[in-house]
Amino acid sequence: MTRHPTDHPQFYLTAPAPCPYLEGKQERKVFTHLVGHGAPALNEVLTQGGFRRSQNIAYRPACENCQSCISIRVRAHDFKWTKSLKRVWKDGANIVGARLPASPSAEQYDLFRDYLLTRHEDGGMTEMSILDYAMMVEDTHVETLVLEYRRRGPDSFITGIGDGSLLGVALSDQLSDGLSMVYSFYDPAFKDTPLGTYMILDHIVRAQKMRLPYVYLGYWVDGSQKMAYKSRFKPQEHLGPNGWVVPVE
């Protein structure tokens, strides 16, 4: 029997490029394609091995003389609610996250553009067209979901869907052992509660209800202020030479 070529993934190494997190550093990545019937299983194994997904590509850092990027995941069932995180969750009680298929919309793209131009105007993603955005959302061969966050409406307790303008979007993968947050963005003008923090908390609560042990948050970069917020969600495990371990405080 002839086996599908994706049963034997090929890995590639990118050329050096300026690191977006640590000034003066160069980054390289090892990557492979997530396509075909074997993509979901491969995505599971690679995510558990520290890879991240972008469209149909799985990648992880492969930098010379630098191991600052550390894969982290939150232990959902043991999650510790600090006073500040409880306050964020309480302030977001009027927000509803609706789970939808991985399908893009013009409203999502408009919010995506506003977010990038306000928070990441120097990043490469600001050049993405609506077609590029659509590919980011729907070009997936794994179990991917979109969560749309809006204000709670009069029928939300029945429909599970919020009302009014779009406040935030999270693109996430569902794995057998957790939820992997691929990319999220939100209304930068919304001041009622920190939406970025709220969406992570919402994923942790969803994982608890789904009896999934982990929420994968991607990379925490030691020394990068951009990634400092991820350290708030504990307990978490870091992937190192001996596998996933709880870091020593």
Side-chain angles (χ1 to χ4, degrees), residues 59-146:
Y59 68 90
R60 68 171 298 171
C63 308
E64 297 178 7
N65 304 316
C66 182
Q67 288 81 42
S68 295
C69 293
I70 299 173
S71 296
I72 67 172
R73 63 187 186 188
V74 180
R75 290 169 54 173
H77 296 301
D78 301 326
F79 182 66
K80 305 300 183 185
W81 289 88
T82 64
K83 289 184 179 180
S84 62
L85 293 177
K86 286 180 180 178
R87 186 162 52 249
V88 171
W89 188 248
K90 181 179 179 180
D91 291 343
N94 197 39
I95 298 174
V96 175
R99 177 172 176 164
L100 304 171
S103 180
S105 70
E107 187 182 21
Q108 291 174 15
Y109 178 70
D110 288 342
L111 182 61
F112 175 70
R113 290 286 299 166
D114 288 345
Y115 172 79
L116 289 178
L117 293 175
T118 303
R119 294 300 183 95
H120 302 285
E121 61 179 345
D122 297 328
M125 296 181 76
T126 56
E127 303 300 323
M128 289 177 62
S129 67
I130 190 169
L131 178 59
D132 295 327
Y133 173 77
M135 291 295 289
M136 183 178 80
V137 175
E138 64 187 5
D139 187 12
T140 173
H141 292 248
V142 304
E143 186 173 355
T144 301
L145 56 107
V146 166

Side-chain angles (χ1 to χ4, degrees), residues 34 36 48 53-54 83 128 174 211 215 225 243-244:
L34 293 170
Q48 293 163 2
R53 185 180 71 81
S54 176
K83 289 184 179 180
M128 289 177 62
Q174 183 170 333
R211 298 187 177 183
V215 173
Q225 190 60 35
W244 291 97

Side-chain angles (χ1 to χ4, degrees), residues 21-249:
Y21 302 111
L22 299 176
E23 187 175 354
K25 295 281 190 178
Q26 294 282 303
E27 71 165 359
R28 300 189 77 178
K29 296 175 182 176
V30 60
F31 70 94
T32 190
H33 296 278
L34 293 170
V35 294
H37 67 272
L42 181 59
N43 187 47
E44 289 249 355
V45 171
L46 293 180
T47 300
Q48 293 163 2
F51 279 70
R52 295 290 288 161
R53 185 180 71 81
S54 176
Q55 295 179 229
N56 60 9
I57 297 291
Y59 68 90
R60 68 171 298 171
C63 308
E64 297 178 7
N65 304 316
C66 182
Q67 288 81 42
S68 295
C69 293
I70 299 173
S71 296
I72 67 172
R73 63 187 186 188
V74 180
R75 290 169 54 173
H77 296 301
D78 301 326
F79 182 66
K80 305 300 183 185
W81 289 88
T82 64
K83 289 184 179 180
S84 62
L85 293 177
K86 286 180 180 178
R87 186 162 52 249
V88 171
W89 188 248
K90 181 179 179 180
D91 291 343
N94 197 39
I95 298 174
V96 175
R99 177 172 176 164
L100 304 171
S103 180
S105 70
E107 187 182 21
Q108 291 174 15
Y109 178 70
D110 288 342
L111 182 61
F112 175 70
R113 290 286 299 166
D114 288 345
Y115 172 79
L116 289 178
L117 293 175
T118 303
R119 294 300 183 95
H120 302 285
E121 61 179 345
D122 297 328
M125 296 181 76
T126 56
E127 303 300 323
M128 289 177 62
S129 67
I130 190 169
L131 178 59
D132 295 327
Y133 173 77
M135 291 295 289
M136 183 178 80
V137 175
E138 64 187 5
D139 187 12
T140 173
H141 292 248
V142 304
E143 186 173 355
T144 301
L145 56 107
V146 166
L147 289 166
E148 287 192 349
Y149 295 86
R150 303 177 191 268
R151 291 186 184 275
R152 189 176 300 277
D155 298 324
S156 294
F157 71 100
I158 299 175
T159 64
I161 299 174
D163 195 19
S165 60
L166 188 60
L167 300 177
V169 176
L171 178 67
S172 302
D173 292 342
Q174 183 170 333
L175 311 174
S176 63
D177 69 344
L179 298 174
S180 177
M181 299 186 70
V182 176
Y183 194 78
S184 60
F185 54 93
Y186 51 86
D187 182 357
F190 187 80
K191 303 300 182 184
D192 291 6
T193 192
L195 285 170
T197 299
Y198 179 83
M199 288 192 286
I200 294 176
L201 293 174
D202 182 62
H203 276 70
I204 292 170
V205 171
R206 286 175 184 272
Q208 292 173 343
K209 292 179 179 178
M210 298 166 70
R211 298 187 177 183
L212 297 173
Y214 303 112
V215 173
Y216 290 83
L217 296 183
Y219 301 115
W220 171 73
V221 183
D222 189 14
S224 171
Q225 190 60 35
K226 293 180 181 179
M227 295 294 184
Y229 71 93
K230 295 184 180 182
S231 62
R232 300 180 65 190
F233 306 95
K234 299 176 180 178
Q236 57 184 231
E237 297 180 358
H238 292 187
L239 182 60
N242 298 317
W244 291 97
V245 297
V246 177
V248 178
E249 300 269 331

